[in-house]
Amino acid sequence: MASLEKLRELLRQNMDGLEFVLGWEDGFDALHASPKRITTEEDIDSMVLDRRCVQNLATYLPALKGKKVGIVVKGCDTRSVIQLLQEKLINREDIVIFGAPCRGVISHDKLRRTLDVSNVQSVTFDGDNVIITTDDGTTTVPYTDVAADKCLSCRYPNPLTFDHLAGEPIPPSEPKVDRFARLEKFLKRPLEDRYRFWQEEMSRCIRCYACRNACPLCVCRDHCIAETRDPHWLSQESGVQEKWMFQLIHAMHTAGRCTECGECERACPMDIPVLMFKKMLSREVGDLFDYEAGIDTEATPPLFTFKVEEKNIEETEW
Amino acid sequence: MVMQKRYLSHDNLVPWLALMGKDYRVIAPMREGAAVVFRQHDGASTPELSAKPSMPPKDALFPQTEVLFTFRIKRDDDNDGNAQVALNPTVPEDKVFVFGAPPCGSRGFSVLDSIFIDGDVQDTYYKARRENALVATVACVRPMSTCFCHWTGGSPSSTDGTDILLTPITGGYIATPVTDKGAEATASDLFVDATSEQEAEAEKIHTAAKDKLGDAPDLAGLPEALEKRFGDAAFWEEISARCLSCGACAYLCPTCSCFNITDEANGSSGERLRTWDNCMSPLYTREASGHNPRMTKPNRLRNRIQHKFNYHPSSHDGHLGCVGCGRCIKQCPAGVDIRKIILLAKESADA
């Protein structure tokens, strides 16, 4: 279990030579934490490390290539780091990884559906419970009711790569929920139903590209296919067609690379479940190539290479 | 026209929207899962009025995409094959009833008015929509912790930019007409004259909501402070560090109005579109030459802050280009807090 004090100690001892360490500080209210570039002693003192630390800080790394920086990462975050290392989008020798074994973060979306969190005064994490005090009083909610989906199906609570570990590794345990559970449930719906669902969901999309920019792997930022005029892949119209097309392109571009960190869906201001597109392709990649992204620094993502004969793809029978 | 306050019972809300639907395209906030979005009202469903809409109603008067004109290019074989371009302007004519936004939404319209129609040059399209629109806002009963309308000259019961202000009270709403159009719309039999007790109840709601917001900091001198801060690279570097350069803040903002114009052609015919642009995007200021004056995050976030709290007030009689709705704070995936930024800018300038 990660310890904030241990993390602070590690930073104090290991910050020399680093421009800053990416970590978290208190956010705009008691329920939120916010990414912070830690440089001073005061910054270290105001660091936080708890279930509010939802942001995947690996998203900031590609733009910082070439700088010597530190980063605080949860288990799932290190998969993004490993994926970026696989693709040589960051240099291992330039980053110092402070790993934090993690027992899960909250989902602000789930919290909003559970109680009115528009005026939160304080939050305490007490083992299996989340105790929230708002203007309406104090409510105790079981953590599992408001856990981020990815945490309920977490298989990697401990950082897979690190220079320093801020606490004892968490013993392995079976996840409560399968990581494709929501997808499987959705796929049981008739095709027309699913089509209508996405027509409606995508109609809320405002093409803000928060999903794209929150993704650690999306590195084309200012050359994005969604915004190029030449070639003219997507028009400027804001119909469902264009918005959906972007999501499909994004899912294809991250297939075999996406570690299902869920930042895309968390970032969406219009509450569209965009992670489902990527989950679909992750499942396909797993079935086709027996491969999982962000685990092995030496691996090559399956769509970056080819084999003359694929183990799971029967092309000819003779 | 007498601005008599009226009372609309809960039961009569949807019938009123259905009635308005005869003359207007009615849009109202509807719940879709965790989101609340403005949709065309179907005449029957109950709007969601107890949660702040995910988006402001900006799109009703300033759509994310709108067609400015269509064009068709004809080659004239009798005239040496010279092309003739036929342009067909598509100025909007429909009347929209924008129902159910909080007051920050209609204050947003006021800011857009100052940009698009109050000056010497008027935007034909925005003007047409604005003149054809009727706006009814709903006063805030319980501001959120991210609300800061009172910092910007607004309040949970502001009537700025709206035709009717509805205040939720026991059993229904007090309707305060603000314009003649608003008074006409509340003249229907679905409303009755409000009693003085009901009016007092509405007043109490207004006061309680205002008190909940607490005191606003003194923002006098903010434009000057930001002007002074312009060249402080370290400051802008620090406050923009966590920004992801997406467009959530700009698109969710009731006052952001930057746009792009592109032609979408299909063979020899097509449309000229105006679409929202956002200054956080890396390509926002890229010029035709390829030069990009705002290539970095600090430059772009600086521009956003300066625009809202310095440039806009400087060219619009001191009115801020922000209405304090707080969506940029609540929805920013990275936790950028515009309140913290302007307070920091002011504090270091005061020092």
Side-chain angles (χ1 to χ4, degrees):
Chain A
M1 191 51 207
S3 145
L4 177 56
E5 257 329 296
K6 180 99 184 33
L7 180 61
R8 286 189 179 129
E9 256 323 293
L10 288 168
L11 255 75
R12 285 184 196 112
Q13 289 160 11
N14 297 287
M15 263 183 73
D16 271 347
L18 299 175
E19 274 194 50
F20 49 79
V21 177
L22 289 165
W24 296 277
E25 63 172 4
D26 282 326
F28 70 80
D29 73 1
L31 210 44
H32 287 80
S34 194
K36 167 81 178 166
R37 286 188 184 179
I38 297 156
T39 45
T40 64
E41 191 54 50
E42 287 79 29
D43 292 339
I44 295 180
D45 287 338
S46 58
M47 274 182 79
V48 299
L49 185 69
D50 53 52
R51 295 201 196 277
R52 301 171 306 155
C53 297
V54 298
Q55 295 90 354
N56 179 352
L57 301 175
T59 304
Y60 297 103
L61 288 179
L64 298 169
K65 191 176 189 187
K67 292 190 201 250
K68 291 221 176 308
V69 298
I71 181 171
V72 183
V73 280
K74 314 186 285 285
C76 48
D77 302 336
T78 55
R79 288 183 61 195
S80 301
V81 174
I82 289 173
Q83 192 55 39
L84 292 171
L85 287 169
Q86 267 185 24
E87 300 180 35
K88 304 192 177 27
L89 290 164
I90 55 176
N91 296 324
R92 183 62 179 94
E93 58 271 18
D94 286 341
I95 51 175
V96 174
I97 302 176
F98 296 89
C102 172
R103 282 196 191 282
V105 298
I106 53 175
S107 157
H108 289 99
D109 289 340
K110 285 190 190 174
L111 271 161
R112 266 190 300 144
R113 291 177 210 240
T114 310
L115 67 158
D116 183 350
V117 288
S118 55
N119 285 285
V120 175
Q121 291 168 17
S122 69
V123 173
T124 322
F125 299 108
D126 176 22
D128 293 330
N129 288 321
V130 182
I131 303 161
I132 305 171
T133 303
T134 70
D135 287 357
D136 297 325
T138 303
T139 317
T140 302
V141 183
Y143 166 64
T144 45
D145 282 0
V146 294
D149 277 347
K150 66 175 177 179
C151 302
L152 294 172
S153 40
C154 176
R155 290 160 299 133
Y156 304 104
N158 300 309
L160 296 164
T161 179
F162 56 87
D163 293 303
H164 310 283
L165 199 62
E168 286 307 305
I170 292 166
S173 65
E174 269 306 299
K176 301 171 184 50
V177 177
D178 179 77
R179 72 194 229 257
F180 296 125
R182 179 176 70 159
L183 177 68
E184 304 284 352
K185 186 163 172 227
F186 182 71
L187 289 173
K188 289 199 170 80
R189 289 161 67 163
L191 183 63
E192 295 77 16
D193 215 29
R194 284 180 269 142
Y195 187 75
R196 238 193 331 266
F197 175 83
W198 286 115
Q199 291 271 345
E200 191 172 278
E201 294 295 304
M202 291 314 302
S203 72
R204 284 202 303 280
C205 171
I206 53 176
R207 281 176 91 175
C208 66
Y209 299 121
C211 52
R212 175 192 73 180
N213 287 28
C215 174
L217 307 171
C218 228
V219 290
C220 305
R221 305 288 161 79
D222 61 342
H223 311 301
C224 181
I225 211 170
E227 288 170 324
T228 53
R229 298 290 298 169
D230 181 27
H232 193 175
W233 293 112
L234 289 178
S235 86
Q236 286 285 85
E237 274 132 17
S238 33
V240 167
Q241 217 165 305
E242 285 76 22
K243 302 171 194 182
W244 206 350
M245 180 66 166
F246 169 71
Q247 285 302 322
L248 299 180
I249 293 172
H250 193 240
M252 282 304 297
H253 279 192
T254 52
R257 309 164 61 220
C258 169
T259 60
E260 297 156 54
C261 76
E263 283 290 84
C264 49
E265 190 163 306
R266 184 188 68 78
C268 178
M270 305 309 289
D271 296 299
I272 304 168
V274 292
L275 179 62
M276 267 214 270
F277 296 119
K278 292 96 177 177
K279 283 272 188 187
M280 183 76 189
L281 291 184
S282 269
R283 196 182 69 150
E284 295 300 307
V285 165
D287 289 344
L288 278 174
F289 304 110
D290 294 328
Y291 178 82
E292 210 183 342
I295 305 294
D296 174 8
T297 334
E298 300 306 305
T300 307
L303 296 181
F304 279 37
T305 182
F306 76 98
K307 290 201 179 93
V308 175
E309 284 210 25
E310 285 284 348
K311 201 175 97 196
N312 296 341
I313 303 175
E314 273 197 45
E315 292 186 67
T316 58
E317 275 148 21
W318 45 270
Chain B
M1 200 157 227
V2 176
M3 297 303 186
Q4 166 69 42
K5 287 194 172 64
R6 306 272 272 158
Y7 171 74
L8 179 74
S9 73
H10 277 311
D11 288 341
N12 280 342
L13 174 61
V14 172
W16 182 48
L17 296 180
L19 177 67
M20 298 302 291
K22 295 203 169 82
D23 295 319
Y24 289 89
R25 182 168 62 88
V26 180
I27 64 158
M30 305 303 296
R31 179 161 285 284
E32 288 181 11
V36 179
V37 284
F38 284 94
R39 295 285 194 201
Q40 182 151 344
H41 191 251
D42 60 7
S45 311
T46 311
E48 171 64 85
L49 295 178
S50 55
K52 191 167 187 160
S54 313
M55 285 279 283
K58 177 168 75 167
D59 190 62
L61 300 189
F62 178 52
Q64 181 158 22
T65 305
E66 78 178 310
V67 180
L68 301 179
F69 56 79
T70 58
F71 56 84
R72 178 170 285 282
I73 302 170
K74 282 203 299 247
R75 300 238 166 253
D76 190 351
D77 289 328
D78 293 334
N79 189 11
D80 267 347
N82 284 328
Q84 297 243 313
V85 184
L87 298 180
N88 176 36
T90 48
V91 180
E93 285 169 355
D94 67 333
K95 293 164 63 172
V96 184
F97 176 29
V98 185
F99 171 80
C104 47
S106 63
R107 287 193 68 229
F109 289 151
S110 283
V111 175
L112 295 178
D113 290 346
S114 71
I115 296 165
F116 284 126
I117 54 184
D118 290 350
D120 292 330
V121 180
Q122 298 189 317
D123 186 283
T124 312
Y125 300 84
Y126 179 86
K127 182 164 181 223
R129 285 184 208 276
R130 186 54 156 143
E131 284 175 353
N132 286 333
L134 178 72
V135 180
T137 45
V138 178
C140 292
V141 176
R142 206 155 93 136
M144 302 166 68
S145 62
T146 43
C147 291
F148 62 107
C149 58
H150 60 318
W151 290 30
T152 67
S155 83
S157 54
S158 169
T159 54
D160 187 10
T162 188
D163 295 297
I164 304 164
L165 176 71
L166 293 164
T167 306
I169 61 161
T170 316
Y173 305 89
I174 289 293
T176 308
V178 179
T179 61
D180 288 342
K181 237 180 184 169
E184 253 178 69
T186 54
S188 130
D189 286 340
L190 291 168
F191 292 77
V192 294
D193 281 353
T195 66
S196 50
E197 288 81 23
Q198 289 173 325
E199 289 190 36
E201 196 186 334
E203 267 312 303
K204 268 228 202 67
I205 303 265
H206 294 171
T207 311
K210 201 153 140 263
D211 288 343
K212 173 135 196 23
L213 286 172
D215 289 326
D218 178 16
L219 293 185
L222 179 58
E224 292 77 12
L226 283 170
E227 193 68 37
K228 252 166 73 174
R229 264 282 176 227
F230 188 85
D232 186 346
F235 176 80
W236 299 108
E237 176 80 42
E238 172 154 359
I239 58 118
S240 66
R242 58 175 61 123
C243 172
L244 294 173
S245 296
C246 68
C249 55
Y251 291 170
L252 296 175
C253 175
T255 66
C256 274
S257 59
C258 283
F259 57 83
N260 207 359
I261 296 182
T262 48
D263 285 351
E264 299 290 351
N266 209 343
S268 58
S269 65
E271 316 175 305
R272 176 158 294 179
L273 297 182
R274 171 163 69 181
T275 55
W276 289 352
D277 201 355
N278 83 78
C279 60
M280 313 300 353
S281 164
L283 296 182
Y284 174 73
T285 325
R286 192 175 68 170
E287 295 160 5
S289 63
H291 173 57
N292 187 347
R294 296 198 195 107
M295 275 193 64
T296 66
K297 277 194 310 185
N299 281 4
R300 294 194 296 270
L301 191 51
R302 175 179 67 181
N303 174 67
R304 178 178 169 74
I305 307 293
Q306 293 280 354
H307 185 171
K308 291 197 167 310
F309 297 100
N310 180 8
Y311 312 150
H312 184 93
S314 302
S315 26
H316 293 97
D317 294 322
H319 295 295
L320 295 179
C322 165
V323 294
C325 80
R327 285 185 183 87
C328 57
I329 302 165
K330 184 160 177 294
Q331 299 288 32
C332 173
V336 175
D337 189 334
I338 206 170
R339 295 171 298 187
K340 288 212 178 95
I341 297 171
I342 59 178
L343 287 179
L344 264 172
K346 205 166 169 289
E347 154 197 308
S348 35
D350 290 343

